[in-house]
Amino acid sequence: MVPAGIALVVIACFLPTLRNDFVLWDDDLNFTDNPSYRGLSWRQLHWMFTTVHGGHYQPLSWVTLGLDYTLWGMNPTGYHLTSLLLHAVNAVLFYHVVVVLLRRAAVTASAGAAAVGALFFAIHPLRVESVAWASERRDVLSGLFYLATVLAYVRMAAAERTGGTRRWYLVSLACFVLSLLSKAWGMTLPIVLVLLDVYPLRRPPRLLEKAPYAVLALGAAALAFLAQAQVPAMRTLAEHGPVERAAQAAYGLCFYLWKTLVPRRLYPAYLLEGRLDPTAPRYVLSFLAVAAITTAALLARRRRPWATVAWASYAVIVSPVLGLVQTGPQIAADRYTYLACLPWAALAGAAVHRASARRARIAWPATAAVLAVLGVLTFRQARVWRDSRALWDHTLALDPTNWTAYTNRGVARQARGDIDGALADYDMALRYNPGHAEALNDRGIVRFLRGDVDGAMADYSAAIRLNPGYARAYYSRANLWLARGDADAAIADYGEAIRANPSYVEAYNNRAAARRAKGDVDGAIADYTRALEVAPGDADRAMIRRNLDAAREERASGRRTP
């Protein structure tokens, strides 16, 4: 009954997610504007296992999303339901992991204490981003197989006295492969397994045994780096040096620990400043705190090995997302705690077990009160993700200088026809980050809609100067050239958009139209043919095929499109 109760509590705390929409925070990139994942045919499966769309290699996550589309179409409720059920399963898996770890730590296993650890993990507000955000399916799915990997490994260690270790070892390795195919962030697991060998398994670390895990982890790390390299937001060492990255890493270690203890003011985009100053107070204090905690953990390694292993495991698990390889505008993100804070949840369960043995009358009511507070905060935080407007209004209420929030809210307003509101948001985004090429492009689109052609041209050109590989800005400017009647300039900019994004269907289609207008029917046919090859959606392919047939008919009849 305990695992069933855990699952029901988790589902109750996250019920608001079932009413949530897709949001303008990669859900447009992954779902509403991406026909490639829609279905489980050979064409879609081939795409899922070969793409690094959005900077991630996550074929298994795409398979589950393709299944969602098959069952639900574009109804977001189905996507959120799948993520919620996966998270509930993760809570149950973690319950079993805590039970086994408590037993190995020579503690009489308490179902209640293990349940506390599982709930502290599962209904903490920091989990909301991974569960309520449809694009983060990769978190809950990879987390499921990660926990299964650890559970099978611990079972293997327990079976050493009775035999049967080979079976559990192979199960653990297979689950690890599935976790890495869902998302690569479990790449640090081999080190975590060594730490678990030290405590609580109390077995000599066997490096040869970890070799297959290490090989898989290195392969996943290489794939993840190559995928992230496709994201133009990756910062170079010249922009973000080693000292700055170390400062960011120290800040992240303290940030996630503090938010675990005090889960307030949570929002999706904690932004990294353009130029990080390592001597700023928050970075200096973070360096000092990390040094102090690490020193204390090392000094306590014999008397309190659990503290040393928990701190080391936390630091190792979170290390890939601490900014040592910086991509994106964020300095931290709630979703990065999904695996990293598992050690703290396990310690919470152990602490309750120890406290209840001494003062049960106080320990259990106090624990219930803490969990109730966490559940209420999680319920409220899940409602923040209701839709794009609610999400970015919430973010700006907490951080009025957040230029990413202004840009995304501007897109949401523009989609609803609020052109003036969108323009105001883009202006604010550029006020706080004048070098934000995306906001410039989006403001250019709004200016064009308002009839400000010169302003639109200025914004598109500025976006291209800031990011010479920005395909959307070239495409937007090409459309403006075409509207002005300058087909040659439009064709040139469509070409630049295609050079930056060789699968840019709309750019091929529009360049073909511009070429037809100039009488270059053969060039138009070539572009339509290429667009047909890269178009992922059936609707797009049908439209392009009609255009291609019209161009071929035009060539056959020898007439020219006016």
Side-chain angles (χ1 to χ4, degrees):
M1 296 299 295
V2 174
I6 292 170
L8 289 174
V9 170
V10 171
I11 290 171
C13 290
F14 282 91
L15 270 180
T17 63
L18 300 184
R19 296 185 177 181
N20 290 357
D21 202 349
F22 294 127
V23 294
L24 286 167
W25 187 230
D26 284 357
D27 283 354
D28 51 335
L29 174 72
N30 291 322
F31 307 125
T32 57
D33 296 339
N34 176 28
S36 300
Y37 84 96
R38 297 176 187 170
L40 294 173
S41 70
W42 169 249
R43 183 156 58 89
Q44 278 100 22
L45 290 171
H46 178 266
W47 179 85
M48 293 169 184
F49 279 86
T50 56
T51 187
V52 290
H53 182 77
H56 297 277
Y57 184 70
Q58 50 176 27
L60 199 56
S61 294
W62 283 121
V63 169
T64 67
L65 293 166
L67 178 61
D68 277 338
Y69 178 79
T70 301
L71 296 174
W72 304 92
M74 293 304 294
N75 183 353
T77 298
Y79 295 72
H80 292 307
L81 176 62
T82 303
S83 293
L84 174 52
L85 293 177
L86 287 170
H87 182 59
V89 172
N90 289 347
V92 173
L93 275 175
F94 188 58
Y95 163 78
H96 289 291
V97 169
V98 176
V99 167
V100 175
L101 292 180
L102 286 175
R103 287 174 179 166
R104 297 292 293 186
V107 175
T108 302
S110 164
V116 169
L119 289 174
F120 186 85
F121 154 70
I123 64 172
H124 196 287
L126 285 174
R127 305 294 93 79
V128 170
E129 184 167 294
S130 293
V131 181
W133 183 14
S135 284
E136 284 308 301
R137 169 66 56 77
R138 51 186 171 250
D139 287 5
V140 291
L141 187 65
S142 62
L144 184 150
F145 292 114
Y146 186 97
L147 289 167
T149 301
V150 174
L151 184 58
Y153 180 84
V154 176
R155 296 282 190 191
M156 179 199 73
E160 286 179 333
R161 300 173 185 174
T162 59
T165 58
R166 179 179 176 81
R167 177 186 62 180
W168 286 113
Y169 183 66
L170 293 176
V171 169
S172 180
L173 279 174
C175 290
F176 188 44
V177 171
L178 296 175
S179 178
L180 296 176
L181 289 176
S182 304
K183 185 178 180 179
W185 69 345
M187 64 182 75
T188 58
L189 181 67
I191 302 174
V192 175
L193 296 181
V194 171
L195 292 170
L196 287 176
D197 281 344
V198 173
Y199 188 87
L201 299 182
R202 294 187 176 93
R203 62 198 291 265
R206 301 169 186 178
L207 299 183
L208 187 61
E209 177 187 79
K210 308 301 185 296
Y213 294 96
V215 171
L216 293 170
L218 288 173
L223 277 174
F225 183 81
L226 292 174
Q228 286 292 308
Q230 307 301 313
V231 179
M234 181 176 280
R235 293 197 181 188
T236 65
L237 279 173
E239 299 170 309
H240 201 55
V243 176
E244 287 79 5
R245 292 174 191 245
Q248 182 181 347
Y251 177 78
L253 284 168
C254 294
F255 178 88
Y256 299 128
L257 188 56
W258 175 250
K259 290 293 185 183
T260 298
L261 297 172
V262 186
R264 293 182 62 252
R265 300 178 64 83
L266 304 181
Y267 55 94
Y270 309 102
L271 297 182
L272 177 65
E273 53 262 58
R275 281 290 177 185
L276 187 150
D277 179 9
T279 63
R282 68 173 179 170
Y283 297 117
V284 173
L285 291 174
S286 297
F287 270 126
L288 294 175
V290 169
I293 295 172
T294 303
T295 301
L298 289 173
L299 292 175
R301 67 186 183 278
R302 297 190 185 279
R303 295 180 56 195
R304 296 180 178 84
W306 49 267
T308 309
V309 169
W311 173 250
S313 298
Y314 163 67
V316 167
I317 295 171
V318 81
S319 60
V321 291
L322 287 178
L324 300 174
V325 179
Q326 178 61 30
T327 57
Q330 74 283 343
I331 190 172
D334 295 350
R335 61 188 179 275
Y336 295 159
T337 65
Y338 197 84
L339 293 181
C341 287
L342 290 172
W344 307 130
L347 283 191
V352 167
H353 176 81
R354 182 165 183 171
S356 64
R358 297 180 177 181
R359 295 182 176 84
R361 292 183 179 180
I362 299 175
W364 287 113
T367 300
V370 170
L371 291 177
V373 170
L374 291 177
V376 170
L377 292 175
T378 292
F379 191 91
R380 291 174 58 188
Q381 188 69 17
R383 296 174 65 183
V384 166
W385 290 80
R386 182 174 64 254
D387 55 40
S388 299
R389 184 64 185 269
L391 180 65
W392 300 117
D393 281 347
H394 169 79
T395 301
L396 289 169
L398 297 176
D399 180 8
T401 67
N402 195 302
W403 47 269
T404 292
Y406 280 117
T407 303
N408 289 329
R409 191 174 72 174
V411 175
R413 283 178 159 176
Q414 182 180 338
R416 293 184 179 183
D418 182 6
I419 303 301
D420 293 336
L423 182 60
D425 275 344
Y426 296 142
D427 285 340
M428 290 298 290
L430 292 166
R431 173 183 174 184
Y432 293 112
N433 182 7
H436 189 24
E438 183 180 343
L440 282 166
N441 178 72
D442 292 342
R443 189 175 71 174
I445 294 172
V446 168
R447 282 180 162 176
F448 179 66
L449 292 174
R450 288 164 56 92
D452 182 6
V453 176
D454 292 337
M457 181 63 75
D459 278 347
Y460 297 147
S461 298
I464 290 169
R465 283 195 300 273
L466 287 167
N467 182 4
Y470 191 10
R472 280 185 59 211
Y474 282 113
Y475 176 78
S476 298
R477 193 170 72 174
N479 291 338
L480 184 55
W481 286 124
L482 204 57
R484 281 182 162 183
D486 191 340
D488 290 329
I491 290 170
D493 271 351
Y494 286 133
E496 291 298 328
I498 290 167
R499 186 174 293 108
N501 178 8
S503 298
Y504 206 150
V505 177
E506 295 83 359
Y508 282 114
N509 185 71
N510 287 14
R511 187 172 71 174
R515 284 177 163 172
R516 283 181 71 188
K518 285 179 60 65
D520 182 8
V521 181
D522 289 336
I525 290 173
D527 275 343
Y528 285 136
T529 302
R530 179 58 182 155
L532 199 61
E533 292 172 356
V534 297
D538 292 336
D540 290 337
R541 294 169 65 85
M543 180 268 293
I544 295 166
R545 190 173 294 280
R546 287 195 299 271
N547 292 338
L548 177 59
D549 290 343
R552 286 172 172 167
E553 209 176 290
E554 181 181 332
R555 182 173 64 179
S557 63
R559 56 187 175 82
R560 177 175 174 177
T561 301

